[in-house]
Amino acid sequence: VCVCVAWLLNEWGNAHPQCLDYKPPFQPPEPLLFCKEYAKFGCCDLDRDNQISQRFYQIMDYFDHSGFMACGKYIRSILCQECSPYAAHLYDAEDANTPMRELPGLCGNYCGDYWLHCRYTLSLLTNYNETSAIEEDRSKFCKYLELKDPEYCYPNVLSDDKLNANLGDVKADPQGCIQLCLEEVANGLRNPVAMVHANDGTHRFFVAEQLGYVWVYLPNGSRIDRPFLNLTRAVLTSPWAGDERGFLCIALHPQFTKVKKAYVYYSVSVKKQEKIRISEFVVSDSDMNMLDHSSERTLLEVDEPASNHNGGQLLFGLDGYLYVFIGDGGKAGDPFGKFGNSQNKSTLLGKALRIDIDNNDHGAPYSIPADNPFVGESGSRPEIFAYGVRNMWRCSVDRGDPGSGQGRGRMFCGDVGQNKYEEVDLIENGGNYGWRAKEGFSCYDNKLCSNSSLNDILPIFAYPHKIGKSVTGGYIYRGCQMPNLNGLYIFGDFMSGRLMSLKENTETGKWNYKEICMGSDKTCSFPKLINSYYKYIISFGEDEAGELYFLATGAASATARAGVVYKIVDPSRRAPPGKCSFKPTPVNIKGKLIHFSPKEEFVINKKPSTTAIPKPKPTKPSSIPRPRAPQTTTRRTPPATTVRHSTPRPHALHTTPARPSPGKRGRGKPRRKGERRGRPRSGTVRLVSADGWKDRGRVEIFVRGEWGTVCDDMFNTAAAAVVCRQLGFPVVERVAKRAELGAGASGVRILLDDVECEGTERTLLHCKHAKLGKNNCSHDEDVGVVCGHYEHAVE
């Protein structure tokens, strides 16, 4: 951020293109006839240009021909500065808390010329009653009109090549990082995993939480207090940071006004077998903002061999069919069978499916489109549309260029990588996307990779783990409000918090990468805009008008109300006034409306400060942390600074976390009546660290009323997994032996020795161990552990 700000201050002075209505400039839809110098880019449309023209001629009625010729150019230029792309700076209107100038700021030399030739015209331009007192005094006259900024005063601002180069284009820093701003539109959400719209003219949007709630938001930002859907009793998830299971997606029928159905994708446990379930719901007859919960019809269930890599995308293509994206089954390296699930067309795991859900009320829940690529192929599931995918998270359909329609119908997906690369793919009928033979462009399984029959489709883009470790697929921007962004594919990474973009070169077919960073305070000094966001980017979404949003959280736990929905805003250029206006179809509301209240301070209201942004404090993932102030996400985020406190997204962990068996309190059930408070339960563990670390330290266990240490004899990562899980961490980074992380004091006994665990036990006391209090070691052999949120090593 410091680099970006310093560059802007040096290169662009203290101003930025902004109009008097506190909005970015625009390209007039029709050429201006009076203020022609701003016909290509500025702050006036033809109507405003005509109003300025009328005022000019009203003023000039006071002049004879010679006066018209002498003073007309000054009057015209001063009036037309309202159309300048730097109007806000010229009128001292960038700060909404200070009074705006009545006339634009002039440069000293120009003011002197104006005073010399036409000083008595000042009273015609202003409502200031004391003009006669300053018209005779040049110094007073120019003190009133001059702008003490030699770069941005008129006419210098118009002739400065630096200020007018690429005017209206998306701003970027010297490294090419695109500078955008954000608007906070919803907050207080628990791992918001999806945002969709009904395409029914209401301009409502629906936000799903991992717990199983779906909420309805109206165009004015308010939320209906009753959920559109509540599946919390059925959804399988937990409060652990990084649990990939849960409610993962919702899709509304593309003809929602007629076919009032919704489709959901969620994790469920059936007779202790974990599954993903695709279900259909019907809208309630009595409430257009609620689904009939009794109408659920299961379309498809798929067994999950592990708790991760659950996929989680539903969407409708332009062909009207429902596409379902399922992960490879979890664990690491797709170890199932000879070639893995993803290359095995007899299983639905590791696939993109396409099914027909229309006309299904009285028969099978779905049918198979006739042109699905593997219909009739022996041993292949006919639902499969594409295969060889690992764990695609967030796909989207391109609306196409608003003018030409180019790109319409293309389907983009982010596919989460293994241990080296993340990728973005374009989905094709019958395509093989290479996993587990390939990860990105690189070979993962060398034997499979060298198989000449692989014939896989390469990604349009892949990036290494030094940039990010868990891709979140995005959208091609096709909205109205930000013409600069048209055709830009915007996506992110959950682990690094980076926002990124791809732009297609239509001549070569190549996709050019640029990172997105937050604009400086000056760049984002518009009403309602902010320039920071919570790091963990979970999902992206479009509203009905095609404007682009992303969903992020400050604590990736399904129970933490740290989730926010952000709208992406380009501060460089907007659409002309009135072009993007719409009148939403009325919505019948039952229940109450909860009005939106943004939490983050708007950039325009921020007070200057030299205080550094505080580093986030570590949080215990199994607790329910309060949302902290969003940290500004910068262009450079060294992975080493995010390891300790990063929490993995619910769909893309690169490890398989140890977890308790179903039904245990570790899954987040409330304390039962009779359970003791205050005094720890037998088997409770803690980490003791001289530095106060929450995720590392000497292991101590509470047994028979006292805390004691554990000997490192036979203690391994399986035992450490039991400890870390009890403390709310999903994985173990390493075991520290020989009292590396500290030794017990002389008054602390060694209570456990020879501990042997499988890794799934509830506490260390459930593992094999020597008799309590019996040991053959010393405090020089106390064991320690380092817990974490994802593994650094290969899975």
Side-chain angles (χ1 to χ4, degrees), residues 615-643:
K615 293 182 178 180
K617 296 180 179 180
T619 58
K620 187 176 181 180
S622 62
S623 64
I624 305 176
R626 296 180 181 178
R628 55 178 169 75
Q631 72 180 75
T632 302
T633 300
T634 65
R635 193 170 182 279
R636 299 282 181 260
T637 307
T641 65
T642 64
V643 170

PDB file of all heavy atoms in Angstrom, residues 615-643:
ATOM      1  N   LYS A 615      -1.413  -5.633  13.195  1.00  0.00           N
ATOM      2  CA  LYS A 615      -1.447  -7.005  12.708  1.00  0.00           C
ATOM      3  C   LYS A 615      -2.545  -7.762  13.434  1.00  0.00           C
ATOM      4  O   LYS A 615      -2.771  -7.550  14.627  1.00  0.00           O
ATOM      5  CB  LYS A 615      -0.102  -7.701  12.940  1.00  0.00           C
ATOM      6  CG  LYS A 615       1.029  -7.106  12.106  1.00  0.00           C
ATOM      7  CD  LYS A 615       2.313  -7.862  12.329  1.00  0.00           C
ATOM      8  CE  LYS A 615       3.435  -7.298  11.462  1.00  0.00           C
ATOM      9  NZ  LYS A 615       4.693  -8.031  11.669  1.00  0.00           N
ATOM     10  N   PRO A 616      -3.237  -8.672  12.724  1.00  0.00           N
ATOM     11  CA  PRO A 616      -4.304  -9.412  13.381  1.00  0.00           C
ATOM     12  C   PRO A 616      -3.754 -10.333  14.460  1.00  0.00           C
ATOM     13  O   PRO A 616      -2.702 -10.923  14.319  1.00  0.00           O
ATOM     14  CB  PRO A 616      -4.932 -10.227  12.236  1.00  0.00           C
ATOM     15  CG  PRO A 616      -3.846 -10.337  11.222  1.00  0.00           C
ATOM     16  CD  PRO A 616      -3.059  -9.071  11.325  1.00  0.00           C
ATOM     17  N   LYS A 617      -4.494 -10.431  15.565  1.00  0.00           N
ATOM     18  CA  LYS A 617      -4.107 -11.347  16.627  1.00  0.00           C
ATOM     19  C   LYS A 617      -4.578 -12.743  16.301  1.00  0.00           C
ATOM     20  O   LYS A 617      -5.600 -12.921  15.652  1.00  0.00           O
ATOM     21  CB  LYS A 617      -4.707 -10.889  17.958  1.00  0.00           C
ATOM     22  CG  LYS A 617      -4.172  -9.537  18.419  1.00  0.00           C
ATOM     23  CD  LYS A 617      -4.798  -9.147  19.746  1.00  0.00           C
ATOM     24  CE  LYS A 617      -4.256  -7.800  20.217  1.00  0.00           C
ATOM     25  NZ  LYS A 617      -4.859  -7.399  21.511  1.00  0.00           N
ATOM     26  N   PRO A 618      -3.843 -13.761  16.758  1.00  0.00           N
ATOM     27  CA  PRO A 618      -4.288 -15.125  16.490  1.00  0.00           C
ATOM     28  C   PRO A 618      -5.615 -15.408  17.161  1.00  0.00           C
ATOM     29  O   PRO A 618      -5.881 -14.945  18.262  1.00  0.00           O
ATOM     30  CB  PRO A 618      -3.172 -15.993  17.065  1.00  0.00           C
ATOM     31  CG  PRO A 618      -2.304 -15.098  17.867  1.00  0.00           C
ATOM     32  CD  PRO A 618      -2.598 -13.692  17.511  1.00  0.00           C
ATOM     33  N   THR A 619      -6.473 -16.147  16.457  1.00  0.00           N
ATOM     34  CA  THR A 619      -7.762 -16.522  17.016  1.00  0.00           C
ATOM     35  C   THR A 619      -7.860 -18.023  17.072  1.00  0.00           C
ATOM     36  O   THR A 619      -7.299 -18.724  16.242  1.00  0.00           O
ATOM     37  CB  THR A 619      -8.916 -15.984  16.156  1.00  0.00           C
ATOM     38  OG1 THR A 619      -8.770 -16.496  14.833  1.00  0.00           O
ATOM     39  CG2 THR A 619      -8.899 -14.477  16.106  1.00  0.00           C
ATOM     40  N   LYS A 620      -8.581 -18.504  18.061  1.00  0.00           N
ATOM     41  CA  LYS A 620      -8.774 -19.937  18.191  1.00  0.00           C
ATOM     42  C   LYS A 620      -9.874 -20.373  17.255  1.00  0.00           C
ATOM     43  O   LYS A 620     -11.020 -19.957  17.396  1.00  0.00           O
ATOM     44  CB  LYS A 620      -9.148 -20.267  19.636  1.00  0.00           C
ATOM     45  CG  LYS A 620      -9.209 -21.764  19.913  1.00  0.00           C
ATOM     46  CD  LYS A 620      -9.479 -22.023  21.389  1.00  0.00           C
ATOM     47  CE  LYS A 620      -9.527 -23.505  21.687  1.00  0.00           C
ATOM     48  NZ  LYS A 620      -9.785 -23.778  23.102  1.00  0.00           N
ATOM     49  N   PRO A 621      -9.572 -21.178  16.222  1.00  0.00           N
ATOM     50  CA  PRO A 621     -10.548 -21.445  15.184  1.00  0.00           C
ATOM     51  C   PRO A 621     -11.824 -22.091  15.670  1.00  0.00           C
ATOM     52  O   PRO A 621     -12.854 -21.932  15.063  1.00  0.00           O
ATOM     53  CB  PRO A 621      -9.796 -22.389  14.229  1.00  0.00           C
ATOM     54  CG  PRO A 621      -8.350 -22.128  14.502  1.00  0.00           C
ATOM     55  CD  PRO A 621      -8.271 -21.775  15.947  1.00  0.00           C
ATOM     56  N   SER A 622     -11.785 -22.851  16.759  1.00  0.00           N
ATOM     57  CA  SER A 622     -12.987 -23.533  17.185  1.00  0.00           C
ATOM     58  C   SER A 622     -13.923 -22.624  17.962  1.00  0.00           C
ATOM     59  O   SER A 622     -15.035 -22.991  18.269  1.00  0.00           O
ATOM     60  CB  SER A 622     -12.629 -24.741  18.053  1.00  0.00           C
ATOM     61  OG  SER A 622     -11.948 -24.306  19.222  1.00  0.00           O
ATOM     62  N   SER A 623     -13.439 -21.426  18.327  1.00  0.00           N
ATOM     63  CA  SER A 623     -14.311 -20.492  19.005  1.00  0.00           C
ATOM     64  C   SER A 623     -15.115 -19.714  17.980  1.00  0.00           C
ATOM     65  O   SER A 623     -15.013 -19.935  16.790  1.00  0.00           O
ATOM     66  CB  SER A 623     -13.477 -19.530  19.860  1.00  0.00           C
ATOM     67  OG  SER A 623     -12.652 -18.753  19.027  1.00  0.00           O
ATOM     68  N   ILE A 624     -15.903 -18.771  18.437  1.00  0.00           N
ATOM     69  CA  ILE A 624     -16.685 -17.942  17.516  1.00  0.00           C
ATOM     70  C   ILE A 624     -16.135 -16.538  17.605  1.00  0.00           C
ATOM     71  O   ILE A 624     -16.596 -15.719  18.395  1.00  0.00           O
ATOM     72  CB  ILE A 624     -18.182 -17.974  17.864  1.00  0.00           C
ATOM     73  CG1 ILE A 624     -18.667 -19.418  17.905  1.00  0.00           C
ATOM     74  CG2 ILE A 624     -18.978 -17.171  16.864  1.00  0.00           C
ATOM     75  CD1 ILE A 624     -20.104 -19.555  18.333  1.00  0.00           C
ATOM     76  N   PRO A 625     -15.105 -16.221  16.814  1.00  0.00           N
ATOM     77  CA  PRO A 625     -14.458 -14.923  16.955  1.00  0.00           C
ATOM     78  C   PRO A 625     -15.331 -13.794  16.425  1.00  0.00           C
ATOM     79  O   PRO A 625     -16.098 -13.976  15.500  1.00  0.00           O
ATOM     80  CB  PRO A 625     -13.182 -15.075  16.104  1.00  0.00           C
ATOM     81  CG  PRO A 625     -13.494 -16.155  15.152  1.00  0.00           C
ATOM     82  CD  PRO A 625     -14.501 -17.051  15.798  1.00  0.00           C
ATOM     83  N   ARG A 626     -15.168 -12.628  17.035  1.00  0.00           N
ATOM     84  CA  ARG A 626     -15.856 -11.462  16.505  1.00  0.00           C
ATOM     85  C   ARG A 626     -15.109 -10.976  15.276  1.00  0.00           C
ATOM     86  O   ARG A 626     -13.894 -11.067  15.211  1.00  0.00           O
ATOM     87  CB  ARG A 626     -15.898 -10.345  17.547  1.00  0.00           C
ATOM     88  CG  ARG A 626     -16.703 -10.709  18.780  1.00  0.00           C
ATOM     89  CD  ARG A 626     -16.691  -9.553  19.749  1.00  0.00           C
ATOM     90  NE  ARG A 626     -17.435  -9.871  20.952  1.00  0.00           N
ATOM     91  CZ  ARG A 626     -17.555  -9.038  21.981  1.00  0.00           C
ATOM     92  NH1 ARG A 626     -16.971  -7.857  21.936  1.00  0.00           N
ATOM     93  NH2 ARG A 626     -18.248  -9.393  23.037  1.00  0.00           N
ATOM     94  N   PRO A 627     -15.807 -10.408  14.305  1.00  0.00           N
ATOM     95  CA  PRO A 627     -15.104  -9.866  13.144  1.00  0.00           C
ATOM     96  C   PRO A 627     -14.170  -8.758  13.572  1.00  0.00           C
ATOM     97  O   PRO A 627     -14.562  -7.868  14.318  1.00  0.00           O
ATOM     98  CB  PRO A 627     -16.249  -9.325  12.267  1.00  0.00           C
ATOM     99  CG  PRO A 627     -17.474 -10.022  12.753  1.00  0.00           C
ATOM    100  CD  PRO A 627     -17.251 -10.298  14.200  1.00  0.00           C
ATOM    101  N   ARG A 628     -12.942  -8.830  13.114  1.00  0.00           N
ATOM    102  CA  ARG A 628     -12.011  -7.765  13.420  1.00  0.00           C
ATOM    103  C   ARG A 628     -12.041  -6.757  12.285  1.00  0.00           C
ATOM    104  O   ARG A 628     -12.606  -6.986  11.232  1.00  0.00           O
ATOM    105  CB  ARG A 628     -10.600  -8.322  13.580  1.00  0.00           C
ATOM    106  CG  ARG A 628     -10.147  -9.108  12.370  1.00  0.00           C
ATOM    107  CD  ARG A 628      -8.721  -9.602  12.573  1.00  0.00           C
ATOM    108  NE  ARG A 628      -8.335 -10.546  11.583  1.00  0.00           N
ATOM    109  CZ  ARG A 628      -8.025 -10.238  10.330  1.00  0.00           C
ATOM    110  NH1 ARG A 628      -8.069  -9.001   9.924  1.00  0.00           N
ATOM    111  NH2 ARG A 628      -7.661 -11.164   9.467  1.00  0.00           N
ATOM    112  N   ALA A 629     -11.423  -5.598  12.530  1.00  0.00           N
ATOM    113  CA  ALA A 629     -11.372  -4.596  11.481  1.00  0.00           C
ATOM    114  C   ALA A 629     -10.652  -5.178  10.284  1.00  0.00           C
ATOM    115  O   ALA A 629      -9.597  -5.781  10.418  1.00  0.00           O
ATOM    116  CB  ALA A 629     -10.626  -3.356  11.986  1.00  0.00           C
ATOM    117  N   PRO A 630     -11.194  -5.015   9.074  1.00  0.00           N
ATOM    118  CA  PRO A 630     -10.567  -5.627   7.907  1.00  0.00           C
ATOM    119  C   PRO A 630      -9.169  -5.090   7.697  1.00  0.00           C
ATOM    120  O   PRO A 630      -8.938  -3.895   7.802  1.00  0.00           O
ATOM    121  CB  PRO A 630     -11.493  -5.212   6.756  1.00  0.00           C
ATOM    122  CG  PRO A 630     -12.775  -4.818   7.408  1.00  0.00           C
ATOM    123  CD  PRO A 630     -12.413  -4.304   8.755  1.00  0.00           C
ATOM    124  N   GLN A 631      -8.233  -5.987   7.385  1.00  0.00           N
ATOM    125  CA  GLN A 631      -6.892  -5.544   7.093  1.00  0.00           C
ATOM    126  C   GLN A 631      -6.820  -5.165   5.629  1.00  0.00           C
ATOM    127  O   GLN A 631      -7.470  -5.743   4.779  1.00  0.00           O
ATOM    128  CB  GLN A 631      -5.865  -6.623   7.407  1.00  0.00           C
ATOM    129  CG  GLN A 631      -5.876  -7.789   6.424  1.00  0.00           C
ATOM    130  CD  GLN A 631      -4.847  -8.816   6.785  1.00  0.00           C
ATOM    131  OE1 GLN A 631      -5.021  -9.564   7.703  1.00  0.00           O
ATOM    132  NE2 GLN A 631      -3.767  -8.860   6.046  1.00  0.00           N
ATOM    133  N   THR A 632      -6.057  -4.093   5.351  1.00  0.00           N
ATOM    134  CA  THR A 632      -5.910  -3.693   3.965  1.00  0.00           C
ATOM    135  C   THR A 632      -5.113  -4.744   3.230  1.00  0.00           C
ATOM    136  O   THR A 632      -4.013  -5.084   3.622  1.00  0.00           O
ATOM    137  CB  THR A 632      -5.184  -2.333   3.870  1.00  0.00           C
ATOM    138  OG1 THR A 632      -5.946  -1.375   4.622  1.00  0.00           O
ATOM    139  CG2 THR A 632      -5.049  -1.891   2.439  1.00  0.00           C
ATOM    140  N   THR A 633      -5.677  -5.264   2.168  1.00  0.00           N
ATOM    141  CA  THR A 633      -4.992  -6.286   1.397  1.00  0.00           C
ATOM    142  C   THR A 633      -4.115  -5.600   0.367  1.00  0.00           C
ATOM    143  O   THR A 633      -4.606  -4.839  -0.461  1.00  0.00           O
ATOM    144  CB  THR A 633      -6.007  -7.197   0.703  1.00  0.00           C
ATOM    145  OG1 THR A 633      -6.808  -7.799   1.714  1.00  0.00           O
ATOM    146  CG2 THR A 633      -5.311  -8.272  -0.091  1.00  0.00           C
ATOM    147  N   THR A 634      -2.835  -5.842   0.423  1.00  0.00           N
ATOM    148  CA  THR A 634      -1.902  -5.151  -0.447  1.00  0.00           C
ATOM    149  C   THR A 634      -1.428  -6.075  -1.547  1.00  0.00           C
ATOM    150  O   THR A 634      -1.760  -7.245  -1.602  1.00  0.00           O
ATOM    151  CB  THR A 634      -0.689  -4.665   0.370  1.00  0.00           C
ATOM    152  OG1 THR A 634      -0.002  -5.808   0.859  1.00  0.00           O
ATOM    153  CG2 THR A 634      -1.124  -3.813   1.555  1.00  0.00           C
ATOM    154  N   ARG A 635      -0.595  -5.513  -2.381  1.00  0.00           N
ATOM    155  CA  ARG A 635      -0.147  -6.268  -3.534  1.00  0.00           C
ATOM    156  C   ARG A 635       0.863  -7.332  -3.149  1.00  0.00           C
ATOM    157  O   ARG A 635       1.029  -8.340  -3.807  1.00  0.00           O
ATOM    158  CB  ARG A 635       0.492  -5.295  -4.523  1.00  0.00           C
ATOM    159  CG  ARG A 635       0.705  -5.911  -5.865  1.00  0.00           C
ATOM    160  CD  ARG A 635       1.104  -4.888  -6.886  1.00  0.00           C
ATOM    161  NE  ARG A 635       1.241  -5.554  -8.161  1.00  0.00           N
ATOM    162  CZ  ARG A 635       2.311  -6.225  -8.497  1.00  0.00           C
ATOM    163  NH1 ARG A 635       3.311  -6.309  -7.697  1.00  0.00           N
ATOM    164  NH2 ARG A 635       2.358  -6.849  -9.672  1.00  0.00           N
ATOM    165  N   ARG A 636       1.555  -7.117  -2.088  1.00  0.00           N
ATOM    166  CA  ARG A 636       2.566  -8.078  -1.658  1.00  0.00           C
ATOM    167  C   ARG A 636       2.128  -8.677  -0.324  1.00  0.00           C
ATOM    168  O   ARG A 636       2.082  -7.983   0.681  1.00  0.00           O
ATOM    169  CB  ARG A 636       3.921  -7.396  -1.493  1.00  0.00           C
ATOM    170  CG  ARG A 636       4.406  -6.781  -2.815  1.00  0.00           C
ATOM    171  CD  ARG A 636       4.971  -7.851  -3.730  1.00  0.00           C
ATOM    172  NE  ARG A 636       5.446  -7.253  -4.956  1.00  0.00           N
ATOM    173  CZ  ARG A 636       4.758  -7.256  -6.074  1.00  0.00           C
ATOM    174  NH1 ARG A 636       3.567  -7.781  -6.117  1.00  0.00           N
ATOM    175  NH2 ARG A 636       5.247  -6.716  -7.159  1.00  0.00           N
ATOM    176  N   THR A 637       1.786  -9.932  -0.306  1.00  0.00           N
ATOM    177  CA  THR A 637       1.404 -10.610   0.929  1.00  0.00           C
ATOM    178  C   THR A 637       2.320 -11.811   1.124  1.00  0.00           C
ATOM    179  O   THR A 637       2.054 -12.878   0.593  1.00  0.00           O
ATOM    180  CB  THR A 637      -0.060 -11.079   0.879  1.00  0.00           C
ATOM    181  OG1 THR A 637      -0.885  -9.973   0.536  1.00  0.00           O
ATOM    182  CG2 THR A 637      -0.486 -11.637   2.223  1.00  0.00           C
ATOM    183  N   PRO A 638       3.440 -11.639   1.815  1.00  0.00           N
ATOM    184  CA  PRO A 638       4.367 -12.769   1.958  1.00  0.00           C
ATOM    185  C   PRO A 638       3.679 -13.931   2.645  1.00  0.00           C
ATOM    186  O   PRO A 638       3.061 -13.759   3.702  1.00  0.00           O
ATOM    187  CB  PRO A 638       5.478 -12.181   2.855  1.00  0.00           C
ATOM    188  CG  PRO A 638       5.328 -10.693   2.761  1.00  0.00           C
ATOM    189  CD  PRO A 638       3.889 -10.445   2.525  1.00  0.00           C
ATOM    190  N   PRO A 639       3.745 -15.126   2.053  1.00  0.00           N
ATOM    191  CA  PRO A 639       3.072 -16.276   2.668  1.00  0.00           C
ATOM    192  C   PRO A 639       3.500 -16.516   4.111  1.00  0.00           C
ATOM    193  O   PRO A 639       2.697 -16.937   4.913  1.00  0.00           O
ATOM    194  CB  PRO A 639       3.493 -17.437   1.758  1.00  0.00           C
ATOM    195  CG  PRO A 639       3.803 -16.801   0.444  1.00  0.00           C
ATOM    196  CD  PRO A 639       4.373 -15.451   0.775  1.00  0.00           C
ATOM    197  N   ALA A 640       4.742 -16.207   4.440  1.00  0.00           N
ATOM    198  CA  ALA A 640       5.198 -16.490   5.794  1.00  0.00           C
ATOM    199  C   ALA A 640       4.425 -15.716   6.835  1.00  0.00           C
ATOM    200  O   ALA A 640       4.300 -16.136   7.975  1.00  0.00           O
ATOM    201  CB  ALA A 640       6.692 -16.154   5.922  1.00  0.00           C
ATOM    202  N   THR A 641       3.868 -14.558   6.474  1.00  0.00           N
ATOM    203  CA  THR A 641       3.151 -13.772   7.462  1.00  0.00           C
ATOM    204  C   THR A 641       1.737 -14.259   7.658  1.00  0.00           C
ATOM    205  O   THR A 641       1.055 -13.819   8.566  1.00  0.00           O
ATOM    206  CB  THR A 641       3.096 -12.294   7.029  1.00  0.00           C
ATOM    207  OG1 THR A 641       2.311 -12.199   5.829  1.00  0.00           O
ATOM    208  CG2 THR A 641       4.468 -11.743   6.790  1.00  0.00           C
ATOM    209  N   THR A 642       1.257 -15.152   6.819  1.00  0.00           N
ATOM    210  CA  THR A 642      -0.124 -15.590   6.938  1.00  0.00           C
ATOM    211  C   THR A 642      -0.258 -17.020   7.432  1.00  0.00           C
ATOM    212  O   THR A 642      -1.352 -17.489   7.651  1.00  0.00           O
ATOM    213  CB  THR A 642      -0.822 -15.505   5.571  1.00  0.00           C
ATOM    214  OG1 THR A 642      -0.189 -16.419   4.664  1.00  0.00           O
ATOM    215  CG2 THR A 642      -0.762 -14.107   5.016  1.00  0.00           C
ATOM    216  N   VAL A 643       0.866 -17.705   7.619  1.00  0.00           N
ATOM    217  CA  VAL A 643       0.787 -19.125   7.976  1.00  0.00           C
ATOM    218  C   VAL A 643       0.131 -19.337   9.325  1.00  0.00           C
ATOM    219  O   VAL A 643      -0.794 -20.113   9.464  1.00  0.00           O
ATOM    220  CB  VAL A 643       2.195 -19.747   7.970  1.00  0.00           C
ATOM    221  CG1 VAL A 643       2.152 -21.133   8.574  1.00  0.00           C
ATOM    222  CG2 VAL A 643       2.732 -19.814   6.549  1.00  0.00           C
TER     223      VAL A 643
END
